Amino acid sequence: MTTRRTRPAPRPPQGTPAPAELARQARAVLADAVRIARWAADGAGPGTAPLAAGALEAAAAAMELSPAQVRAGWDRARLAGLIELHGDTARPGWRLRAWNRDDSAVLRGWVALFDAWSLVHPSPEGIEATAVAEAVEAVPQVLSLLQLSAGPVPVPALLDLLGQRVAELHEERCEVPYGPQAPPAPATETSADLNTLLLDWALEGLAAVGALTLGTGHATLTPLGNWAVWVKLEQICVAAQSPAGNIEQSAADMLLGCARLTPGPARAEYRAWLAARPVGSAVAELLAVARGEDALLRGLAFEALRVVGAPAEPVVRSVVSEAPLRPYALLWLAEYEGADPDDAQDVLSREEATWLWVDTAAAVADHGETGLLVRHLDSAVQGTVPALLDEVRAVGHPRTVQVLVALAAAHPDPALAKAVRRAAFQVHTGGA
């Protein structure tokens, strides 16, 4: 056994309000979102999504808000986990049900909105997506300066930091050129203007979610923003001091480092790794790993995406059409929408459940112990081994042969092992 040295619970910076006060401020920021979520879930239009045809005007009239305010509140409600969509039907999320009694749920909902600030506030038109992504990636350094300054910071200082970080990102991603090259062009007034525009957008987006306030020529973190940045910096410090040290790793190496951790410590590692990266690029990196050949990393990538929560929902929904990811995405969405994890399997068709069984068996065969592969038989939806083998052969998973061969080698029952080997041979040769 290994022992971890425990680290005393960190204390927030002096002057940080108590959790109850922070939760009160978060409730104030999300007040319109809560009103709209309650109206959509169980108010005057129960079960109706406010953005559905004909419902937007009704919601605006019922709550005396403009249609634009309803749209903005609806987006915030979804990103904060206050509302869940099941097709065209809106249902209250668990955070909405706990909103008045659970300060922790409120703060988690607000942090989910804070993480998704770039989705709440659309980027300026006419700017390349790469430039926007670089600005989003540079924002954590801007927030760190604001947090360390513990007061107003002049916008020129923030602009200088943003420009430096963007330049570093350019240098980190630079490819080695081949052949004669023209000397690099110096920084131009155009690039400075672009950074100014992007900084203004970022500051306005962070102000829109209640993370900071804007004055004449300066910006200041709100108590909520100051607390959130401190939490994320603390997560990074904890990860850096942990035996795994996953904070600097790629997504694949981080997931492998967490593979043998129990669920609680693994989630802590996921949170720390995510806290050190812009949510959009982190989600993209996790999905890139999920699309790879390692079935263990595929499952772990979706476990890490569960920690991301609402900001990952649109991207996860977009991969439902990809066959290797579909079962994982459907389970993720079912749990995100409030299903009990034990019941979430019901959303899978028989074929999807069989595909997932083979994929999980491949992960066990590659990384697990022999006994785990044998016990994995019990998790199949088919009632008998012959039925399982018939459906496994039909499902077309690329690892079917390897899984069946490993299972035959591991199983102590000679007759069953022989049947499994025969099935593996038939899949390999294309026989019936």
Side-chain angles (χ1 to χ4, degrees):
M1 293 180 61
T2 60
T3 58
R4 288 173 178 248
R5 287 183 293 177
T6 58
R7 186 170 180 261
R11 295 183 178 181
Q14 188 174 3
T16 301
E21 172 59 20
L22 290 171
R24 186 195 67 76
Q25 295 177 18
R27 287 185 176 97
V29 171
L30 284 162
D32 283 351
V34 170
R35 287 181 63 202
I36 291 168
R38 285 179 174 153
W39 183 91
D42 53 21
T48 302
L51 300 187
L56 181 62
E57 292 77 9
M63 289 176 283
E64 298 182 347
L65 298 172
S66 69
Q69 288 174 314
V70 173
R71 287 193 191 92
W74 175 251
D75 288 342
R76 288 165 174 252
R78 291 194 63 195
L79 291 169
L82 298 170
I83 201 74
E84 299 163 358
L85 280 185
H86 299 255
D88 291 330
T89 301
R91 298 179 186 172
W94 71 269
R95 283 183 181 139
L96 183 63
R97 294 190 289 269
W99 197 251
N100 291 331
R101 57 179 171 78
D102 189 338
D103 289 346
S104 176
V106 172
L107 290 174
R108 286 177 182 272
W110 182 83
V111 169
L113 180 69
F114 169 68
D115 287 338
W117 68 266
S118 60
L119 302 178
V120 174
H121 191 60
S123 60
E125 294 183 1
I127 298 180
E128 292 184 1
T130 301
V132 173
E134 289 171 347
V136 172
E137 195 166 346
V139 159
Q141 280 72 25
V142 173
L143 289 170
S144 296
L145 176 59
L146 285 162
Q147 199 267 344
L148 291 170
S149 299
V153 178
V155 169
L158 299 176
L159 181 60
D160 183 57
L161 179 60
L162 180 77
Q164 290 179 27
R165 181 57 184 145
V166 168
E168 290 172 359
L169 292 172
H170 287 166
E171 185 176 347
E172 290 170 5
R173 292 168 184 164
C174 180
E175 297 181 355
V176 177
Y178 290 90
Q181 301 289 323
T188 64
E189 186 176 347
T190 302
S191 63
D193 291 343
L194 176 60
N195 285 341
T196 300
L197 184 61
L198 288 169
L199 178 65
D200 289 344
W201 165 66
L203 294 178
E204 290 167 3
L206 291 163
V209 298
L212 54 79
T213 57
L214 297 174
T216 304
H218 62 81
T220 310
L221 284 179
T222 63
L224 270 176
N226 187 69
W227 167 79
V229 175
W230 170 79
V231 167
K232 293 183 179 297
L233 290 172
E234 188 61 30
Q235 288 173 342
I236 292 171
C237 292
V238 169
Q241 294 177 12
S242 71
N246 291 309
I247 192 66
E248 301 288 346
Q249 303 297 324
S250 67
D253 290 340
M254 179 274 294
L255 293 171
L256 280 176
C258 295
R260 294 191 178 276
L261 297 177
T262 55
R267 284 192 294 271
E269 293 284 342
Y270 300 152
R271 290 190 188 98
W273 185 86
L274 290 162
R277 291 159 176 80
V279 65
S281 61
V283 169
E285 191 175 348
L286 289 170
L287 281 178
V289 172
R291 291 187 176 100
E293 296 182 358
D294 194 323
L296 175 66
L297 294 186
R298 186 159 30 255
L300 291 175
F302 276 87
E303 288 299 320
L305 287 170
R306 284 177 171 83
V307 174
V308 177
E313 185 263 343
V315 183
V316 173
R317 198 173 293 281
S318 73
V319 303
V320 167
S321 59
E322 300 180 30
L325 304 186
R326 179 175 174 81
Y328 295 96
L330 290 175
L331 290 175
W332 190 99
L333 291 167
E335 293 180 27
Y336 171 74
E337 291 167 355
D340 187 284
D342 293 334
D343 301 329
Q345 293 276 347
D346 295 342
V347 304
L348 301 182
S349 68
R350 183 99 164 188
E351 183 178 1
E352 290 159 355
T354 303
W355 177 285
L356 183 60
W357 185 91
V358 178
D359 209 50
T360 306
V364 175
D366 290 343
H367 300 276
E369 299 173 357
T370 299
L372 290 177
L373 190 59
V374 174
R375 291 196 294 274
H376 185 55
L377 276 172
D378 296 334
S379 67
V381 296
Q382 295 79 7
T384 65
V385 171
L388 170 64
L389 294 178
D390 286 343
E391 295 185 34
V392 163
R393 284 182 294 186
V395 80
H397 193 290
R399 295 291 304 279
T400 298
V401 172
Q402 293 94 325
V403 164
L404 293 179
V405 169
L407 181 58
H411 207 285
D413 184 335
L416 189 148
K418 182 178 179 180
V420 174
R421 276 194 300 272
R422 185 185 305 115
F425 178 78
Q426 290 170 342
V427 174
H428 178 63
T429 60

